[in-house]
Amino acid sequence: MSMAVKKTSEPFEFTKKNREWANGQIKKYPAGKQASAVMPLLTRAQEQNGGWLSVPAIEHIAELLEMPYIRAYEVASFYTMYNLSSVGTHVIEICTTTPCWLRGSDDIVAAAKDELGIGFGETTADGEITLLEVECAGACVNAPVCAIHHSYFEDLTPDAMRQLIRDLKAGKDLKPGPQIDRHTSAPVGGPTTLQDEGAV
Amino acid sequence: MPKVNINGQEIEAPAGMSLLQACELAGAEIPRFCYHERLEIAGNCRMCLVEWVGAPKPQASCALSVGDLRPNPDGTPANIRTDSPVVKKAREGVMEFLLINHPLDCPICDQGGECDLQDQALGYGAGRSRYEENKRAVEEKHMGPLIKTIMTRCIHCTRCIRFATDVAGVPELGAVGRGEHMEITTYLEKTLDSELSGNVIDLCPVGALTSKPYAFTARPWELTKTESVDVMDALGSNIRIDARGKEVMRVLPRLHEDVNEEWISDKTRYACDGLMKQRLDRPYVRKGGKLQEASWNAAFEAIATGLKGLSGEEIAGVVGDLCDMESMFALKGLLALLGSDRIECRQDGAKLESAVRASYLFNTTIAGIEDADAILLIGTNPRLEAAVLNARIRKTWLAKKLPIANIGPAYDLTYPVEQLGDNAAVVADILAGKNGFADILKKAERPMLILGQGALAHEDGGAVLKAAHDIADQFGFIKEGWNGFNVLHTAASRVGALDLGLTVEGGLEGLLKDAKAVFLLGADEFDAAPLKKSFTVYLGSHGDRGVQEADVVLPGAAYSEKSGTYLNTEGRAQMAPRAIFPPGDAREDWTILRALSDVLGKTLPYDSLPELRAKMNVTVIDEAPREGWGDFGAAGKIAKGGIQIAVTDFYGTNPIARASDTMAACRDAKLADLKEGTGTDG
């Protein structure tokens, strides 16, 4: 993904409701340490701004927190959760960090790229779906995983990845969690221990 | 004080001292990239690893204080090793990591020969890389006309970020991205808006930030280095002039704790290309309304003719902002022999007098600012008038958040300032106790005020000076071991000129009104039009404003081309030896005046610089004087009205800066940034 934040002249300001929420976040920290609230505020600004942080959005947060623009920009550029260029309606974030990679995330990525016809950091021509590569999603136990709209889709196979994209395009409800026969993080195919309920 | 055993040598060090400094005390050299004495500690380069015997891992000595070292179990001081195999291996590992992505382009790198990484790779580098992977490439960043970036070379020590944020007070540099994608950049690649930006080049331990004007022009080992003193402002920053042949290639700062620490302003560093432009390299005589080249003899004859029949009272002199003591002393001597004592140094019309020395000095001293606990700025913009001194005020503010107030136009001085209004009459309000800041000053233990040339050049400048004197008198500014009354000069020559008593009743205007012949000694900062009617001799280095009405032009030496003594705003005398020879027929100014005096039949009584200096009698060198207090200023009412700050165009305050292409580029970049606007226009 490109490091440089995309230029836009669209102004940004928190809605009244978000502003009140932001004031609550700022109050959590001692006076003079209000800059500590930068991450939740950036997240909320990203949500309000259609999934990404523009320059005016970053500057608005920096001004709210009385911190230099560059300090807010450093934070926004550090975390992959902040998008610095516009994204589609849906964002598919595929984890490629070591555990997912060992479990075949390369194949998942290839399937997604092929199905969507785009690469990482790109958005489909209709502006619907953006594909992103992310650092460890923290769900290594069910690797490989991807995230769509704050939900995790786990134990992916290339086919499952393709099906998810097709369903997403068709507007169907997606079933979060493992995409194979597994309950949460329990063993595949059902429990292997503590099966004798009487003995428990 | 805790004890620590370093390489078998037991030393005592203050608890707050970093282990790195303690090791240096013990004579052990510690390699480092991110650590810098004058910056906050970052601890991110890991080059300063030492072995703490008993600890499981090597320790970063810059981020470990002596007080944190636990003694050994038997109660003996902690054992630190800086030369053990563990240390060597650890540092070699760090060096190998640093070199993974650092390009092998030393032969085309301007840092070559004075590069920390190059030097330390000699000691800790493997000599052969184990990596086959491609090195990462980073796009260059735009940082304005002074700083050239080759960001692929950056090792992310973050010294530049910490300098911009803390010392310069312009938090515009940052590290964006993370891990392998981390890059140092200014916010949205704007020009770094600081008068001290050039210092990041010295701080950069590699060749990532280098000097743009100096790029590819010279190698450090082919330069002649002369330790000198700066004249671009009245601080007398200590500099090193690096020259090759007859050209000054660059100017670097030199350490002086009491003056400039180790910083210099961008003007000091970069105006040196102006030394080669617009130069007067031969004498000129005006014939038929035009200046025409002439020989020295012809020029001297023309002066003799021009002065013929004039009485001493009709001859006057004006000394400029960049003059050394020697040439001013020689001019004063020559005019005295011609029967005149009418020499003026206050080109800006500042209502200063030379009677009481404390009335025109920075009495607190520059280093003394750090002891102040309240500061009142009157008609001065220290950021533009003395950028390095402004950094000292900021340093003091960072350390103790002291109250600072300003009377004069509002400006971002890089620290918070209580704006008391752009009205000279506020000074009288404070004296009368009618302003809230008066109470703060009264309660302060060590209050200080800084009076700028802008306030003194005000129409009621004399009354402002008097009011400032009375504030100092009545609010406890003057006490044992403390004098909080300060005048900040903008001209390097001014204190020396006032010491020589180069003032006349009625100031410059009165002097020019009835003078029939005028000697200009590098005087370029006033409107030359009144000189039309008088016979004018200009002696100086640059073809600037002063030559416009000159009848005879004598080519003098710039500060780099003469041995001179300069008194800074504190009254500290410093010697600057000659670095290069003047161009063409130009000569050191005092020798020209000496030769001229011969032709005029009024020979000056010295034949060499030592003889001149013996007569000039400036004996105390490099010491800030403690002058006695007295009465000064002119009683009177201060009319309401705005104060014009003395320096508005930082990049064009003197003939050298005005001749400099680099300074012009800086001004253009600044104007372009202003035009583009700031903030939300993206």
Side-chain angles (χ1 to χ4, degrees):
Chain A
M1 219 179 73
S2 162
M3 192 78 69
V5 62
K6 207 180 139 192
K7 299 220 169 186
T8 171
S9 53
E10 192 105 336
F12 180 91
E13 199 175 338
F14 265 150
T15 58
K16 194 159 174 285
K17 203 174 141 218
N18 279 343
R19 180 62 209 258
E20 278 162 20
W21 174 89
N23 288 342
Q25 295 294 312
I26 294 169
K27 277 207 196 91
K28 289 181 182 174
Y29 304 97
K33 304 284 179 194
Q34 71 281 0
S36 302
V38 65
M39 292 190 64
L41 262 61
L42 283 173
T43 309
R44 184 59 66 101
Q46 173 160 298
E47 283 166 9
Q48 186 187 317
N49 199 44
W52 69 293
L53 285 169
S54 60
V55 168
I58 294 172
E59 291 180 355
H60 179 66
I61 303 302
E63 279 162 18
L64 268 185
L65 300 174
E66 294 169 41
M67 60 199 286
Y69 293 158
I70 184 78
R71 296 284 101 82
Y73 178 42
E74 282 178 327
V75 174
S77 69
F78 186 88
Y79 295 99
T80 52
M81 297 79 162
Y82 299 120
N83 299 316
L84 298 183
S85 54
S86 57
V87 292
T89 318
H90 313 288
V91 181
I92 302 178
E93 299 167 290
I94 304 179
C95 172
T96 58
T97 306
T98 318
C100 280
W101 174 69
L102 286 169
R103 296 278 294 149
S105 68
D106 280 354
D107 297 335
I108 309 299
V109 170
K113 282 181 176 173
D114 181 57
E115 190 68 30
L116 290 165
I118 55 172
F120 278 139
E122 293 173 0
T123 304
T124 50
D126 57 5
E128 279 296 301
I129 301 178
T130 299
L131 191 63
L132 294 180
E133 179 181 30
V134 296
E135 298 295 333
C136 184
C140 316
V141 66
N142 288 9
V145 301
C146 78
I148 304 170
H149 290 301
H150 301 299
S151 294
Y152 276 17
F153 299 85
E154 301 151 5
D155 293 316
L156 294 170
T157 60
D159 284 341
M161 188 71 238
R162 285 177 190 275
Q163 191 56 46
L164 277 173
I165 291 169
R166 282 186 211 123
D167 290 351
L168 195 62
K169 279 181 177 168
K172 288 188 193 164
D173 281 343
L174 307 181
K175 180 185 141 275
Q179 301 296 305
I180 55 170
D181 175 24
R182 183 215 288 251
H183 178 65
T184 62
S185 301
V188 179
T192 54
T193 56
L194 305 177
Q195 286 168 314
D196 184 357
E197 283 195 25
V200 178
Chain B
M1 285 199 292
K3 287 181 181 162
V4 53
N5 185 322
I6 293 165
N7 295 337
Q9 182 192 343
E10 203 171 289
I11 64 157
E12 260 185 303
M17 186 182 246
S18 71
L19 181 54
L20 188 149
Q21 288 171 310
C23 289
E24 305 252 283
L25 267 187
E29 199 181 326
I30 309 289
R32 87 287 301 266
F33 295 110
C34 74
Y35 175 82
H36 191 277
E37 288 83 352
R38 281 166 224 285
L39 302 176
E40 300 254 320
I41 287 164
N44 55 17
C45 79
R46 316 310 287 180
M47 198 61 201
C48 64
L49 293 174
V50 296
E51 184 186 0
W52 178 4
V53 178
K57 290 191 287 186
Q59 305 290 318
S61 59
C62 71
L64 190 63
S65 69
V66 173
D68 289 341
L69 292 171
R70 193 152 30 112
N72 294 327
D74 60 3
T76 54
N79 290 324
I80 302 294
R81 309 284 311 181
T82 68
D83 52 3
S84 63
V86 173
V87 172
K88 187 156 168 43
K89 197 176 168 207
R91 290 180 187 164
E92 280 173 355
V94 170
M95 178 58 76
E96 190 171 21
F97 270 11
L98 286 173
L99 291 178
I100 289 176
N101 277 318
H102 191 84
L104 274 174
D105 62 351
C106 305
I108 57 149
C109 175
D110 260 332
Q111 194 85 352
E114 47 188 8
C115 173
D116 289 354
L117 188 64
Q118 207 176 28
D119 294 349
Q120 290 172 37
L122 199 68
Y124 299 99
R128 183 170 287 275
S129 176
R130 286 190 287 171
Y131 292 92
E132 290 172 359
E133 291 79 4
N134 284 333
K135 288 172 189 271
R136 83 179 191 142
V138 184
E139 275 179 42
E140 316 309 16
K141 304 288 182 287
H142 173 74
M143 290 193 190
L146 301 179
I147 303 166
K148 183 183 170 188
T149 67
I150 302 99
M151 297 316 279
T152 303
R153 296 178 188 148
C154 177
I155 58 167
H156 303 136
C157 69
T158 70
R159 275 185 187 180
C160 53
I161 299 178
R162 285 173 280 145
F163 174 83
T165 307
D166 299 329
V167 180
V170 287
E172 293 167 12
L173 267 174
V176 301
R178 70 163 159 189
E180 198 184 14
H181 303 292
M182 177 171 156
E183 296 183 9
I184 307 286
T185 181
T186 51
Y187 183 64
L188 304 183
E189 295 204 30
K190 288 206 171 95
T191 303
L192 195 57
D193 183 20
S194 170
E195 292 73 27
L196 296 168
S197 65
N199 292 299
V200 298
I201 294 165
D202 295 334
L203 288 171
C204 185
V206 296
L209 306 177
T210 55
S211 170
K212 211 176 233 178
Y214 173 74
F216 305 133
T217 54
R219 283 300 197 185
W221 55 84
E222 43 179 26
L223 298 172
T224 314
K225 297 153 183 100
T226 311
E227 300 198 335
S228 186
V229 175
D230 174 51
V231 297
M232 293 294 142
D233 53 36
L235 280 191
S237 296
N238 284 214
I239 55 170
R240 195 183 89 194
I241 297 175
D242 283 8
R244 187 177 55 192
K246 55 182 185 176
E247 192 177 349
V248 172
M249 302 307 294
R250 62 175 179 179
V251 171
L252 296 177
R254 198 151 55 84
L255 188 74
H256 195 310
E257 292 292 350
D258 292 334
V259 180
N260 57 312
E261 299 183 87
E262 58 188 88
W263 318 124
I264 53 173
S265 75
D266 287 351
K267 188 161 48 182
T268 302
R269 186 184 299 265
Y270 289 111
C272 60
D273 64 330
L275 291 168
M276 298 295 287
K277 302 257 165 62
Q278 299 278 338
R279 284 308 298 268
L280 303 170
D281 57 358
R282 66 196 63 177
Y284 291 86
V285 175
R286 195 175 290 276
K287 281 181 190 147
K290 277 202 175 134
L291 283 175
Q292 290 178 355
E293 289 175 19
S295 68
W296 276 109
N297 284 337
F300 284 163
E301 284 307 323
I303 295 171
T305 313
L307 295 180
K308 202 170 279 175
L310 294 182
S311 72
E313 282 303 294
E314 292 167 320
I315 303 172
V318 183
V319 296
D321 288 354
L322 307 183
C323 298
D324 54 312
M325 283 289 277
E326 285 79 355
S327 50
M328 292 191 292
F329 181 75
L331 182 66
K332 185 187 178 187
L334 177 62
L335 261 60
L337 291 176
L338 293 171
S340 168
D341 61 353
R342 296 179 65 75
I343 309 185
E344 179 57 66
C345 67
R346 301 165 299 177
Q347 292 183 81
D348 51 9
K351 313 285 190 298
L352 284 172
E353 294 143 27
S354 46
V356 182
R357 199 162 186 239
S359 73
Y360 58 85
L361 292 186
F362 202 94
N363 296 297
T364 304
T365 74
I366 297 166
I369 293 173
E370 293 181 34
D371 297 326
D373 53 5
I375 301 178
L376 175 63
L377 305 172
I378 305 173
T380 179
N381 181 334
R383 182 169 173 185
L384 299 183
E385 290 170 15
V388 175
L389 181 136
N390 197 54
R392 186 82 78 149
I393 300 178
R394 179 175 163 79
K395 183 182 175 189
T396 310
W397 176 79
L398 274 180
K400 45 178 144 172
K401 303 283 189 284
L402 76 173
I404 304 171
N406 179 33
I407 302 172
Y411 198 85
D412 175 14
L413 295 175
T414 71
Y415 39 84
V417 168
E418 189 186 334
Q419 190 61 33
L420 302 182
D422 177 16
N423 182 356
V426 177
V427 185
D429 289 351
I430 290 186
L431 180 60
K434 282 191 240 161
N435 191 298
F437 202 73
D439 294 332
I440 294 176
L441 291 175
K442 274 182 199 159
K443 279 183 199 136
E445 278 289 307
R446 288 169 178 270
M448 66 182 282
L449 64 85
I450 301 178
L451 196 52
Q453 300 304 302
L456 291 164
H458 187 267
E459 53 179 321
D460 295 323
V464 173
L465 180 63
K466 175 76 181 153
H469 166 272
D470 291 349
I471 289 175
D473 237 10
Q474 294 169 23
F475 289 25
F477 282 51
I478 317 293
K479 53 181 92 165
E480 187 63 38
W482 183 257
N483 184 338
F485 179 86
N486 300 289
V487 172
L488 179 58
H489 289 275
T490 54
S493 67
R494 194 61 43 84
V495 169
L498 289 168
D499 276 1
L500 291 171
L502 305 184
T503 58
V504 293
E505 197 89 7
L508 186 63
E509 214 173 304
L511 176 125
L512 294 178
K513 208 185 294 170
D514 41 39
K516 296 245 166 67
V518 181
F519 281 88
L520 302 181
L521 185 63
D524 294 291
E525 311 304 326
F526 66 99
D527 179 19
L531 295 169
K532 258 197 190 94
K533 57 179 175 48
S534 52
F535 175 73
T536 306
V537 179
Y538 182 86
L539 167 54
S541 58
H542 283 67
D544 202 78
R545 294 167 195 162
V547 299
Q548 284 169 5
E549 303 299 340
D551 296 291
V552 179
V553 174
L554 304 175
Y559 73 101
S560 52
E561 298 150 6
K562 57 186 166 192
S563 295
T565 307
Y566 299 91
L567 267 63
N568 78 351
T569 194
E570 303 168 293
R572 180 193 300 273
Q574 299 186 101
M575 312 267 267
R578 185 181 55 71
I580 54 170
F581 286 103
D585 286 342
R587 294 289 180 270
E588 294 195 31
D589 305 41
W590 81 267
T591 62
I592 297 173
L593 292 166
R594 167 68 181 73
L596 175 62
S597 71
D598 232 7
V599 174
L600 296 177
K602 310 271 187 186
T603 309
L604 287 167
Y606 30 78
D607 298 326
S608 68
L609 200 57
E611 283 177 40
L612 186 159
R613 282 182 175 157
K615 290 236 160 32
M616 190 171 76
N617 201 22
V618 176
T619 46
V620 183
I621 297 297
D622 197 13
E623 206 171 288
R626 302 274 174 198
E627 292 298 337
W629 192 237
D631 195 25
F632 49 82
K637 211 168 148 17
I638 304 170
K640 282 200 169 79
I643 298 173
Q644 298 282 324
I645 290 299
V647 175
T648 45
D649 175 16
F650 172 76
Y651 301 106
T653 51
N654 61 55
I656 300 173
R658 282 192 290 270
S660 157
D661 290 341
T662 312
M663 291 294 100
C666 287
R667 188 181 305 116
D668 291 347
K670 183 129 192 165
L671 291 175
D673 271 3
L674 286 177
K675 217 176 276 173
E676 197 184 280
T678 50
T680 50
D681 67 349

